[in-house]
Amino acid sequence: MPHHQRVTVRALENLSLTLKHGDRLGIVGHNGAGKSTLLRVCAGVCEPCQGRVNIEGHVSPLFTTSPGLDGDDSGYENIITCGLFLGMTRNEINRKIADIEQFTELGDYLSLPVRTYSTGMLVRLGFAIATAIDPEILILDEGLGAGDARFAERAKKRVDALIERSSILVLASHSDLLIQSMCNRAILLNRGSMAASGGVDEVIEAYHEMSAKQAEGIS
Amino acid sequence: MTPQYHVALSDITHGLIDWRMWGRLGWQETKRRYRRTMIGPFWTTLSLGIFIFTLGLLWAQLWKQDPKSYLPFLCSGMLVWVMLSTIITEGCAVFTAAEGLIKQLRFPYTLLACSVVWRNFIVFLHNLLIFILVAIYAQVPLTRHSFLVVPGLLLVFLNGIWVVTLLGLLCSRFRDIQQIVTSILQVAMFVTPILWTAQQLGPRFTKFVDYNFLFHYVEIVRAPLLGQAPSDWSWFVTVVGTVLGWGFTLYLFSCFRRRMPYWLWGAVVLASLVRANITGEFPI
């Protein structure tokens, strides 16, 4: 009688981790391994039911590009609201506006309601706001991208600069290349537990071995 | 669940203090109501005004009341009631509507409750225009008691914040509560002396009104608007309500604040796993 059972999902267990200034941690693992959950725990969005999370400093989580974006508000209004939610002050936001205008290339569109934007324009705006912050601890999900191919290169530069400004980075990604270029240490998650931890290359190697073994097991 | 009072208290204080943020959220919401319409929120004012004028005159006739005393009474009561009931109904959806934010940022949730109360105050100020017109027509006196409207409103707001936080929390777990609240409010409007006066009920039933706490929340704003002083009993009930309400909310918020993001996810899981009975424990 499956519907009488309580389904309990243990998303993370037996995980211990300390990050210090200068650490750039990459998290690898299959879909459903707990990467996003770990990011959310680090961000303080989800509190663990057992264990402790100790955060010193301001955490900036970027899971989707635009927290609090409202379709009926203009681009400029959204820059302010989202900026405030991302922990910027009004002065900081005002200083960043020129930079956002320049990156998004939206021109007069910024005075129009965001609802009138094309998907690409919306992504650009959200991305520009999210990457305008000066993060202490940056939590980045790989979903943060700039879609549009013409912007891909500039977007990458912008993310690089953002990471450069941060003191600590936690990045979850399926891309070996991204982890290798951005991180100086890594962990491998498997079903909510830490399967490997250490240097980027060895963890990625462990990840591929694990994938290969599991593929064998299936066939 | 062990209550984490320090987390809840820090959420509440940070939320209340961050007036820039909730001020902006409430203001933007009001601005949105003005967009693409000519008079924006004044539409609700207009329909409320028509309701008050037509039914006010009709009922004054039916119940053999002087329109000059009945209209201001009905008008002030309706304005306060509309504000109270909208705060309560919007409170039910406050956290579910902000799902996207709650799932990706850590911020004081009380902030959202403050913004609901603030934007309803802005609407109240719009509606106050009707009362001013009625007050001029009926020559409602401006007395020293009129100034009691300030503490009266402050007390209503202070209660509004706990009500919104509490209902928002409960509704993020049990979506049914919203329906229950709406049904209760519909009935409450008729059993609370807003359309009729407590005196009309006769001495036998005054207890019925004395123990209706919603009446007292209406009264602490309505009486000053009419230039009268609210009774001591009304102040007592509302102050006790504030203390008890905040106490209870603080307790529940301390216990369940940390679970709320999971509850908001829970609904997503419930919808996809039709037969699974997922409780608030740890659904992802």
Side-chain angles (χ1 to χ4, degrees), chain A residues 123-136:
Chain A
V123 169
R124 242 144 65 201
L125 177 67
F127 180 83
I129 302 171
T131 49
I133 55 171
D134 296 319
E136 276 188 276

Side-chain angles (χ1 to χ4, degrees), chain B residues 239-254:
Chain B
V239 169
V240 169
T242 313
V243 175
L244 291 182
W246 267 111
F248 184 60
T249 305
L250 180 65
Y251 174 70
L252 276 191
F253 199 46
S254 306

Side-chain angles (χ1 to χ4, degrees), chain B residues 174-191:
Chain B
F174 304 102
R175 309 281 160 122
D176 325 58
I177 291 176
Q178 186 159 12
Q179 310 296 329
I180 300 171
V181 168
T182 340
S183 318
I184 292 176
L185 278 177
Q186 270 171 3
V187 179
M189 182 180 153
F190 293 103
V191 297

